[in-house]
Structures are given as structure tokens and as C-alpha cells.
């Protein structure tokens, strides 16, 4: 049976927030209590208990598309879903027991356990179902968290009522993507470097006459990166799928772009002789993203607005959004980007190089001016942006601001000057089209 295609538009690393302090000690168990089970899940859970006993604790994947301990999918191609239940035996010392997978199938109108499998880790990072190179054969891909803190990917096939491990390797980031544009997914594994292995990205697929799963391509990544903090998929140009990897080193980010050409992986920014990776260097926090939602990923870099000196504490910086084009890093847009306030305003082309910005210390607004000679003489106000909570909305509107956009009780306002015959003053359509909330 042909597999349903799963596309991932944006993959990014997700950071978990930790609780701190002692005042919540009495309510932690309530906060961490599992969700109530549906009627179907309850029937599956009862089948699990009949097979494994009542001393079981459900395990929930931390990330990915599937976050339940009960995952339903057709893993044997019979057009009916099986249930995979992730659990561990209670009563074992912490960290001693591995996650187990119980396969439960519908037989004669009743959910029954048909197979139980011991995993290789103490937790579940994520779960993926994909053909990875096959249009007919489903692979079950489990990302385990190990006691050491590392993560291990295992690719399973389900045959004759059993799970078989076809491939296993460590990773830091894992997802599927059709890298070679053949209509079939590849498993992508990204690994930072350590004392034993160099940093790399690999493709894993099911191929060959025997349908075995193996690494089909690999490429080295920047060895200086201590961690890969952002991984996003998109396009180079309009037709080439690519993976953009932001690496962190000494408080700064650089970006690598990986794509497939003529059956081989390429990493053009990291070619030693090119030095192009240095053209992506910027302050931490400025992550690559598809800023204008056109499918092509942009890489941010920073430069002082006109009138400011580079490195000065008082400087305000323009964020330039760059694309990889014809083996060069090319600026696509200039913008004002506030990470703290969660928005980006992309400059129209007629503003580029002739508009500067100042912060109004009295109001906190960011104000844009026509640049004239130096920052002191730049006093022709073109637009100001304010950010405020719901309770301040009425006051801002009374003072001539327009509510532009809202996100989770944060409101973004603009105010235009009342001047005539100034070609740099924007229309409301330009402002709306160029203002982006960055979540």
C-alpha cells in the first residue's frame, strides 16, 4: 500500500523550560499528571495491562508530531491501524529500566497485545513514520533519550508480528525530508562533533534489492560549532530543497547550507577555501528563518544604521536578510528586527540606505528618520513603532497610533507623521505587508 507523504516545512530545535523554586513542591505531581485517556486509549491500555501487568508507567514523547504514549498507525500495511504503546515497568530504580514498546492490534473486534519490545533508552525523544526510500514499506523511527543524555535513532520494520531493528545511530537532530527530489523521504541525522566523531549530517534510506536501511550520504559540518541551535528546512532558489544549520561558537552564530546535487551532499559555505561561512557570522539569537514566507530561507546579519559607528553601545543595528545565490551570500532585505519584542519590519527598497532609526527614550518607541549628514541632523520623522499590552491599547489609539497587529496580548502600533510631499512616508498597505511577527 503506498505511503502517505509527510512534509516538514520547518524544523527547528525546541528548548524545554525548567521549573525552579520550592513553592510549587506540593503541586508538581498535579502539574505532571498524564492527560485523561480517550475511550479507545482506555481499551488499548487495558490490553497493555493484560499483557504487561498493572505495574506500568506510560512514556510520552517529548518532541515531534506524536506526543501521546498511544500512537496509532498502519505499520503492517493491512489498511488497519495498530497501536504502539510506550511504557516502562514501575518499581525499577530510576534510569535502570528501558522504555518498552507494546504493539496492540484489533483482533475480532477487540484490542489485543501481539508483541512487546525492549527499547534502547530511558525516554522517547520523538516518533516518525516514513518510507525513507520506499513507497511500499513503512518504517517506524524511534528517537530514544539515553541515560548519558545522548539520543539514539532506531529504524524498525514490522514483519510477521515483530519489530526488527534495521538501523541505529546517535543524533542531536532528526527529521525526514525529500533531499534528492525523488518523491521519497530520507531520514536526516545531524550530529555535533565530540572527541570520538567529527560533526556531520547523514542521509539514511531503505534501498537495494534486499530493502536494507543504510547511510546513503554524509557530509562534514563546521567543527568549531559547539552546538547546532537551529535547524530549518527550506529552499535554495525556488526548486532545490536545503537544510540550514545555525551553529553556535563563542557566543556567535554561523550558518551552513546543505543540499543534494547529482546524488551528493554539498555544503558550499563550509568549503575551506571559500571562507563564505564568515559572511554569515552574527550575534547569537539571530536565527535563520523564512522571514517573508516564500519558502526560501534567509540568513540574518547585522550592520549599524546610517550615522552609527560599528561596535558603539549607542548604535542601533539594521538586520539584513540574505540568501544564497550563485555561490554568494546576497542581501535580499534590510530591516529593523527586535528579538525582545518579537517583530521584524522589512524596509521597502526606497528606504534602504537612506533611513536611520533612533529610540525615543521617553516612550520606548523605535522611530525612523530620513538620514541627513549625521544622526543628530536626521530629524524628519517617517514612522514610529510601539509595543504595548492590552490595557494600554486605548491610550495609544487616543494618541494617534494605529493598532497594526496583535499576538498573545502583545500589541504592535504604528504612528505616521502628518507631513505632505515626503516620498519616504509609507502607505498603510506597505506597512502591513512588511511587518512580521516572529514567534
Amino acid at each position: 500500500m503506498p505511503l502517505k507523504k509527510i512534509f516538514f516545512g520547518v524544523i527547528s530545535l525546541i528548548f524545554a523550560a525548567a521549573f525552579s523554586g520550592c513553592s510549587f513542591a506540593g503541586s508538581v505531581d498535579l502539574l505532571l499528571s498524564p492527560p485523561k485517556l480517550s475511550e479507545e486509549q482506555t481499551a488499548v491500555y487495558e490490553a497493555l495491562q493484560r499483557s504487561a501487568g498493572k505495574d506500568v508507567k506510560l512514556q510520552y514523547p517529548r518532541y515531534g508530531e506524536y506526543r501521546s504514549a498511544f500512537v496509532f498507525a498502519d505499520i503492517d500495511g493491512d489498511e488497519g491501524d495498530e497501536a504502539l504503546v510506550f511504557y516502562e515497568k514501575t518499581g525499577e530504580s530510576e534510569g535502570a529500566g528501558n522504555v518498552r514498546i507494546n504493539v496492540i492490534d484489533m483482533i475480532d473486534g477487540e484490542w489485543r497485545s501481539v508483541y512487546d519490545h525492549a527499547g534502547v533508552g530511558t525516554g522517547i525523544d520523538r516518533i516518525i513514520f516514513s518510507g525513507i526510500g520506499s513507497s511500499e514499506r513503512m518504517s517506524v523511527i524511534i528517537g530514544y533519550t539515553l541515560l548519558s543524555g545522548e539520543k539514539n535513532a532506531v529504524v524498525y520494520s514490522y514483519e510477521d508480528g515483530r519489530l526488527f531493528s534495521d538501523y541505529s545511530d546517535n543524533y542531536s537532530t532528526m527529521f525526514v525530508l525529500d533531499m534528492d527530489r525523488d518523491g521519497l523521504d530520507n531520514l536526516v541525522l545531524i550530529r555535533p562533533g565530540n572527541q570520538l566523531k567529527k560533526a556531520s549530517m547523514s542521509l539514511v534510506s531503505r534501498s537495494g534489492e534486499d530493502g536494507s536501511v543504510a547511510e546513503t550520504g554524509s557530509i562534514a559540518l563546521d567543527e568549531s560549532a559547539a552546538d547546532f541551535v537551529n535547524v530549518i528546512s527550506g529552499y535554495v532558489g525556488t526548486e532545490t530543497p536545503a537544510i540550514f544549520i545555525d551553529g553556535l561558537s563563542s557566543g556567535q552564530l554561523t550558518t551552513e547550507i546543505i543540499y543534494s546535487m547529482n546524488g551528493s551532499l554539498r555544503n558550499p559555505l563550509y568549503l575551506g577555501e571559500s571562507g563564505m561561512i564568515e559572511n554569515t557570522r552574527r550575534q547569537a539569537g539571530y536565527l535563520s528563518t523564512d522571514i517573508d514566507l516564500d519558502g526560501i530561507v534567509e540568513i540574518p546579519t547585522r550592520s549599524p544604521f546610517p550615522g552609527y559607528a560599528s561596535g558603539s553601545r549607542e548604535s542601533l543595528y539594521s538586520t539584513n536578510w540574505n540568501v544564497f545565490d550563485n555561490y554568494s551570500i546576497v542581501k535580499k532585505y534590510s530591516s529593523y528586527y527586535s528579538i525582545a519584542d518579537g517583530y521584524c519590519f522589512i524596509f521597502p527598497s526606497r528606504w534602504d540606505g537612506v533611513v536611520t532609526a533612533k529610540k525615543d527614550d521617553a516612550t520606548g518607541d523605535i522611530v525612523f528618520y530620513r538620514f541627513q549628514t549625521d544622526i543628530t541632523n536626521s530629524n524628519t520623522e517617517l514612522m514610529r513603532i510601539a509595543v504595548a499590552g492590552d490595557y494600554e491599547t486605548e491610550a495609544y489609539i487616543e494618541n494617534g497610533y494605529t493598532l497594526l497587529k496583535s499576538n498573545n496580548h502583545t500589541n504592535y502600533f504604528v504612528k505616521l507623521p502628518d507631513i505632505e510631499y515626503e516620498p519616504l512616508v509609507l502607505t498603510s498597505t506597505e506597512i502591513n505587508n512588511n511587518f512580521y511577527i516572529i514567534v
Side-chain angles (χ1 to χ4, degrees):
M1 182 186 69
L3 301 179
K4 294 181 179 178
K5 200 81 176 116
I6 302 173
F7 292 92
F8 289 81
V10 174
I11 302 101
S12 62
L13 296 177
I14 303 172
F15 294 92
F19 289 102
S20 62
C22 299
S23 59
F24 296 101
S27 59
V28 166
D29 289 341
L30 293 176
L31 290 171
L32 300 181
S33 61
K36 292 183 178 179
L37 303 183
S38 68
E39 183 176 343
E40 185 176 42
Q41 288 173 336
T42 298
V44 170
Y45 185 59
E46 290 172 352
L48 170 67
Q49 289 186 317
R50 287 195 296 271
S51 170
K54 296 188 179 297
D55 295 329
V56 295
K57 179 182 177 182
L58 298 178
Q59 282 275 0
Y60 293 80
R62 296 182 65 188
Y63 304 117
E65 181 180 356
Y66 303 96
R67 300 293 186 90
S68 173
F70 301 84
V71 178
F72 295 85
D74 179 12
I75 61 174
D76 60 4
D78 67 353
E79 299 188 0
D81 283 350
E82 287 71 42
L84 280 71
V85 185
F86 299 89
Y87 74 100
E88 63 177 293
K89 289 282 191 177
T90 58
E92 296 178 335
S93 60
E94 185 175 355
N98 282 354
V99 174
R100 302 191 69 87
I101 307 169
N102 199 283
V103 182
I104 299 176
D105 205 353
M106 179 68 73
I107 300 173
D108 297 330
E110 181 184 19
W111 287 106
R112 298 180 187 177
S113 173
V114 294
Y115 183 68
D116 195 80
H117 177 78
V120 298
T122 58
I124 301 292
D125 176 56
R126 67 188 64 231
I127 302 164
I128 298 172
F129 298 98
S130 174
I132 58 165
S134 171
S135 60
E136 300 292 333
R137 192 171 178 181
M138 174 73 78
S139 291
V140 181
I141 306 165
I142 309 295
Y144 293 99
T145 56
L146 308 181
L147 193 59
S148 63
E150 294 182 306
K151 291 183 284 190
N152 185 262
V154 180
V155 179
Y156 294 102
S157 58
Y158 185 69
E159 298 178 8
D160 301 322
R162 296 182 60 191
L163 285 171
F164 293 91
S165 176
D166 297 329
Y167 179 88
S168 176
D169 202 354
N170 287 355
Y171 71 97
S172 64
T173 303
M174 173 180 77
F175 52 93
V176 293
L177 186 71
D178 181 7
M179 284 289 292
D180 49 12
R181 292 168 288 174
D182 64 354
L184 300 171
D185 285 334
N186 310 110
L187 175 63
V188 180
L189 299 177
I190 296 174
R191 314 172 192 87
N194 56 40
Q195 294 179 344
L196 300 177
K197 290 184 178 180
K198 293 183 177 181
S200 65
M201 190 196 93
S202 297
L203 298 184
V204 176
S205 289
R206 189 180 296 278
S207 59
E209 294 183 0
D210 60 353
S212 60
V213 178
E215 185 177 288
T216 58
S218 184
I219 195 161
L221 300 178
D222 183 7
E223 293 180 32
S224 68
D227 193 13
F228 298 126
V229 298
N230 180 53
V231 179
I232 180 172
S233 67
Y235 286 86
V236 169
T238 57
E239 296 183 353
T240 304
I243 296 170
F244 296 73
I245 304 173
D246 293 337
L248 180 66
S249 177
S250 301
Q252 293 187 314
L253 291 177
T254 55
T255 299
E256 300 172 80
I257 304 173
I258 315 298
Y259 56 87
S260 179
M261 181 174 289
N262 300 323
S264 298
L265 293 177
R266 304 291 177 88
N267 184 1
L269 299 189
Y270 187 52
L271 291 176
E273 62 273 13
S274 75
M276 283 192 292
I277 194 170
E278 287 301 314
N279 296 336
T280 71
R281 189 171 294 280
R282 71 273 187 189
Q283 183 179 349
Y286 288 80
L287 304 178
S288 299
T289 189
D290 179 8
I291 190 67
D292 56 1
L293 307 179
D294 66 350
I296 300 172
V297 173
E298 287 81 31
I299 303 169
T301 56
R302 303 172 75 220
S303 59
F305 274 114
Y308 292 101
S310 180
S312 170
R313 285 188 178 181
E314 293 76 24
S315 294
L316 286 183
Y317 284 81
S318 165
T319 297
N320 301 318
W321 297 94
N322 310 280
V323 295
F324 181 68
D325 182 46
N326 196 25
Y327 289 90
S328 298
I329 299 296
V330 179
K331 186 174 78 172
K332 186 176 180 181
Y333 304 117
S334 294
S335 74
Y336 177 78
Y337 178 28
S338 173
I339 295 177
D341 289 324
Y343 74 90
C344 178
F345 180 71
I346 293 178
F347 286 6
S349 57
R350 69 180 189 277
W351 271 29
D352 199 13
V354 298
V355 170
T356 192
K358 303 179 189 179
K359 184 173 183 178
D360 186 330
D361 291 331
T363 64
D365 296 355
I366 296 299
V367 189
F368 301 97
Y369 297 89
R370 173 194 282 274
F371 180 67
Q372 295 172 305
T373 311
D374 59 43
I375 197 69
T376 303
N377 293 325
S378 302
N379 296 316
T380 303
E381 183 174 325
L382 305 174
M383 184 180 77
R384 58 176 56 217
I385 298 176
V387 182
D390 290 339
Y391 65 95
E392 299 174 281
T393 296
E394 186 175 342
Y396 272 94
I397 291 175
E398 289 176 353
N399 281 283
Y401 291 79
T402 299
L403 177 61
L404 183 61
K405 292 186 180 180
S406 297
N407 180 52
N408 195 26
H409 304 294
T410 298
N411 300 309
Y412 302 90
F413 301 87
V414 295
K415 187 176 183 180
L416 298 176
D418 186 17
I419 56 176
E420 297 181 358
Y421 312 116
E422 174 50 73
L424 292 178
V425 174
L426 306 180
T427 66
S428 59
T429 299
E430 285 180 303
I431 296 170
N432 271 286
N433 289 344
N434 288 13
F435 189 94
Y436 295 89
I437 293 174
I438 309 298
V439 179

